[in-house]
Amino acid sequence: MKSRQVGFVLITLIILGVSAIALRLFSTSSDQIVIKGLLPISQDVIDRVEIQKQQDVMEIVKVGGSGWRVDKYPAFEPRIQDFWTSVADIPKAQLVAKLAKHHNLFEVNDGQSTVVSFYLGQSIQEQFHIGKWSAEVRLCYLRKAGKNEVYAIPCPREDLFSTDEDSWRNPIVASIPSDAIESIDYIYPDSTQNFSLAKDENGNWIVKSSDEDAFANLRIMNPLLQAIELLPAIGFEAAEIAAKLDFDAPDGSIRINTSMESNIPTTKLKFIRKDDLSFYVKIPSQTTVYIVDARLADFLLMPREGISEEN
């Protein structure tokens, strides 16, 4: 075997060995060597978090007492809580290596690492170099700035310390329970195609149009209500492109009318086809332009013929 291949094998064995050791560390109850001398970095103390990976930089900024935003957008609450749950493990991080020569192995050196800085006011409270994520044992490796020791904390997934702002934003376009919906209006550029869905006195969904009324096909209606109950985006359009989109003349719109008792506002969704695979979607009261899978958007914009029971 060539020396280079031997080197690769040895490095792989070292990584697997260290990962196994780390797994034993986190699965035993005996006292272990943990990181010491940290200032508080909990979310009730910190005002701002800066995450940098080479040239990519993003910030999470506290809004009010407990909310957080990314750029000008609210951060997605489950994503934020995942982040702070992992941060809470840093003061309990367990030692896996002591020497600087191991920094490259764990990717916590200056060139490879993601630098996470926790701010209190204008001052850095603590700063860490976050290295590689181990899928085998689901650990993140980190090093305190200015120190040589490498520690590990549990990490459920790889992107916990991502610099991708979109990964921190709320991807839910709309979330309206079916029992809160009174009717749904479909609005198209050709007004003759417009129709509505509404319940009759017996609770049946009816397709209403200028031509005639018909019962809605429940095999279509039920998935449709489920889609409105949790409508996800696959991405967000950049602000400079979003500003050029003409949502005054969309390819189609859906207005979801809700009951007063639900305390959920009526929501209008405007759709513009982006390409064969996706649509732009916007709620008029918001600045965000979502990108939604074309298959889902086409289903939501189904013509009345597709939803009527007689078809």
Side-chain angles (χ1 to χ4, degrees):
M1 185 180 292
K2 295 181 181 179
S3 60
R4 187 175 182 181
Q5 292 174 313
V6 172
F8 286 149
V9 171
L10 289 175
I11 289 173
T12 301
L13 290 174
I14 291 171
I15 292 173
L16 291 175
V18 171
S19 297
I21 293 171
L23 180 60
R24 289 197 296 272
L25 287 175
F26 283 96
S27 61
T28 60
S29 58
S30 59
D31 292 337
Q32 303 294 340
I33 300 175
V34 298
I35 196 167
K36 298 291 186 182
L38 297 183
L39 294 172
I41 54 172
S42 60
Q43 62 177 314
D44 58 328
V45 173
I46 297 302
D47 300 321
R48 176 167 60 95
V49 182
E50 181 184 273
I51 303 176
Q52 180 171 2
K53 177 74 170 181
Q54 297 177 357
Q55 303 303 315
D56 296 327
V57 184
M58 62 85 65
E59 288 186 339
I60 312 165
V61 180
K62 183 178 284 184
V63 179
S66 59
W68 297 87
R69 65 172 173 82
V70 177
D71 194 11
K72 59 183 178 181
Y73 304 102
F76 189 38
E77 184 64 22
R79 176 74 168 87
I80 283 289
Q81 290 310 314
D82 278 353
F83 171 76
W84 286 112
T85 296
S86 291
V87 170
D89 286 325
I90 292 178
K92 300 173 285 186
Q94 297 181 6
L95 183 70
V96 294
K98 290 185 176 181
L99 303 178
K101 67 181 182 180
H102 297 128
H103 290 179
N104 284 344
L105 177 64
F106 293 102
E107 298 179 10
V108 294
N109 55 348
D110 292 341
Q112 291 178 291
S113 65
T114 298
V115 181
V116 181
S117 305
F118 296 87
Y119 283 82
L120 178 57
Q122 299 300 312
S123 302
I124 294 179
Q125 184 87 333
E126 290 289 356
Q127 186 178 79
F128 301 94
H129 293 266
I130 308 296
K132 70 183 303 175
W133 177 71
S134 171
E136 292 81 7
V137 290
R138 296 188 178 277
L139 297 177
C140 289
Y141 300 104
L142 61 91
R143 174 174 65 89
K144 181 177 165 69
K147 302 293 184 179
N148 286 331
E149 294 85 355
V150 180
Y151 298 85
I153 60 171
C155 277
R157 62 177 191 273
E158 187 175 10
D159 66 344
L160 275 172
F161 301 96
S162 173
T163 57
D164 179 9
E165 290 186 350
D166 285 355
S167 72
W168 294 86
R169 292 172 60 183
N170 188 347
I172 307 302
V173 182
S175 180
I176 304 174
S178 57
D179 58 5
I181 300 174
E182 286 194 337
S183 62
I184 304 172
D185 298 325
Y186 287 76
I187 307 159
Y188 297 98
D190 180 358
S191 61
T192 64
Q193 300 299 313
N194 293 352
F195 69 97
S196 297
L197 295 168
K199 291 181 180 177
D200 65 12
E201 62 274 10
N202 296 316
N204 299 309
W205 283 100
I206 306 297
V207 182
K208 295 178 172 290
S209 68
S210 58
D211 296 332
E212 59 181 353
D213 295 351
F215 285 106
N217 187 335
L218 291 181
R219 289 179 297 178
I220 301 297
M221 196 69 213
N222 289 335
L224 175 65
L225 294 173
Q226 291 172 7
I228 293 173
E229 193 156 345
L230 187 63
L231 176 56
I234 58 174
F236 306 87
E237 189 49 85
E240 57 272 18
I241 296 176
K244 299 176 182 177
L245 298 174
D246 186 7
F247 280 98
D248 290 332
D251 295 324
S253 300
I254 301 173
R255 183 168 57 239
I256 305 156
N257 304 300
T258 53
S259 64
M260 293 184 62
E261 297 79 13
S262 70
N263 292 319
I264 297 174
T266 290
T267 301
K268 189 172 187 178
L269 305 174
K270 293 187 173 186
F271 296 77
I272 296 176
R273 182 175 286 277
K274 180 178 185 286
D275 50 39
D276 290 341
L277 300 177
S278 59
F279 275 74
Y280 296 118
V281 180
K282 187 176 188 297
I283 297 174
S285 61
Q286 300 179 9
T287 59
T288 299
V289 173
Y290 301 93
I291 299 174
V292 171
D293 187 282
R295 292 167 295 181
L296 177 56
D298 283 330
F299 176 70
L300 290 170
L301 291 172
M302 184 183 307
R304 66 176 182 267
E305 295 82 7
I307 199 169
S308 297
E309 189 174 70
E310 59 191 37
N311 294 290

